[in-house]
Amino acid sequence: SQQGEEDPQALSIQEGENATMNCSYKTSINNLQWYRQNSGRGLVHLILIRSNEREKHSGRLRVTLDTSKKSSSLLITASRAADTASYFCATEDNAGNMLTFGGGTRLMVKP
Amino acid sequence: DAGVIQSPRHEVTEMGQEVTLRCKPISGHDYLFWYRQTMMRGLELLIYFNNNVPIDDSGMPEDRFSAKMPNASFSTLKIQPSEPRDSAVYFCASSLAVSNTEAFFGQGTRLTVV
């Protein structure tokens, strides 16, 4: 079963705009990770945020984590056409279970 | 390192045939994971290994599925006999540790069972 659920399922924006994707999960976690998947390719790790962290940055990416709401958001600033991909959140719970992935958000950035 | 290497990239087989998917993890990674991705069910963890030993195979859908890791640099996922509902993209991933670390994914094997 999927632990994380992304919202929205699909997002279409213009190049230069910001893209925000949300992830909700159900159980207590050790960490939450975001991955990107280009069409026909494997998943690529973007960022890991631990349960005791609230915000993390990596380049144009900003991830927040609210453990009280069991939710996370991924913000991509100044989007580019090359950011077009599916984005997945994955949670590692503190019951020893491995990464569980959500259904993903399909992002399209139009040039 | 070339990353996680999977073969074949694409496999088309007839129902009832045996299918073997292969994976070479990143050297030095102690953990290896097999995932299946479908539109309906998303990404599902099938099984994972630690130091070549299967730790959790609760995600393996049926007895038709089996996985082995004879050494640190090679793993197989076998489906025998294959069925059309096994059609999916199968990913192998490896990581240095089991916790608080990123997983590195291969390019996947797209399996079509007709």
Side-chain angles (χ1 to χ4, degrees):
Chain A
S1 63
Q2 293 177 1
Q3 158 78 311
E5 294 295 335
E6 286 89 341
D7 168 55
Q9 290 188 330
L11 180 61
S12 181
I13 59 174
Q14 293 294 135
E15 207 165 29
E17 293 180 340
N18 296 341
T20 300
M21 289 158 270
N22 302 298
C23 170
S24 59
Y25 57 91
K26 298 173 184 172
T27 63
S28 296
I29 60 172
N30 273 342
N31 66 70
L32 185 144
Q33 304 182 32
W34 285 92
Y35 287 79
R36 183 187 73 226
Q37 183 180 32
N38 290 86
S39 180
R41 307 296 292 272
L43 281 77
V44 174
H45 183 264
L46 295 176
I47 200 163
L48 181 155
I49 186 165
R50 296 172 191 255
S51 60
N52 60 354
E53 297 176 308
R54 291 298 167 258
E55 187 171 314
K56 210 163 182 180
H57 298 256
S58 177
R60 293 184 296 112
L61 305 181
R62 172 177 169 257
V63 168
T64 62
L65 178 65
D66 187 336
T67 53
S68 67
K69 295 181 180 179
K70 291 186 168 55
S71 68
S72 173
S73 68
L74 170 66
L75 169 67
I76 304 175
T77 60
S79 64
R80 305 166 181 168
D83 295 329
T84 294
S86 291
Y87 291 82
F88 295 86
C89 70
T91 53
E92 179 191 306
D93 71 21
N94 55 17
N97 294 316
M98 295 302 100
L99 281 179
T100 305
F101 285 82
T105 292
R106 295 187 309 279
L107 173 65
M108 175 174 287
V109 181
K110 299 176 183 177
Chain B
D1 202 311
V4 176
I5 299 174
Q6 292 186 245
S7 64
R9 288 295 311 276
H10 303 274
E11 176 81 37
V12 180
T13 190
E14 291 185 346
M15 183 173 62
Q17 296 297 307
E18 177 180 296
V19 176
T20 299
L21 312 181
R22 298 172 175 79
C23 174
K24 180 180 187 304
I26 293 174
S27 177
H29 282 191
D30 290 335
Y31 290 84
L32 183 140
F33 308 85
W34 282 101
Y35 285 89
R36 178 173 67 176
Q37 185 177 38
T38 61
M39 288 294 293
M40 290 297 295
R41 300 174 68 88
L43 265 163
E44 303 172 278
L45 176 64
L46 301 178
I47 185 172
Y48 80 94
F49 295 82
N50 175 23
N51 290 324
N52 315 335
V53 176
I55 302 301
D56 184 354
D57 65 354
S58 59
M60 296 285 261
E62 299 173 36
D63 291 344
R64 298 184 296 106
F65 286 69
S66 62
K68 294 181 181 179
M69 192 164 186
N71 57 63
S73 59
F74 184 66
S75 177
T76 59
L77 178 67
K78 185 177 293 186
I79 308 173
Q80 165 65 15
S82 59
E83 297 182 2
R85 59 197 171 111
D86 301 331
S87 297
V89 182
Y90 291 82
F91 287 102
C92 175
S94 69
S95 66
L96 278 169
V98 70
S99 181
N100 285 320
T101 188
E102 66 180 285
F104 292 81
F105 281 75
Q107 296 297 303
T109 295
R110 181 174 294 278
L111 173 66
T112 303
V113 183
V114 297

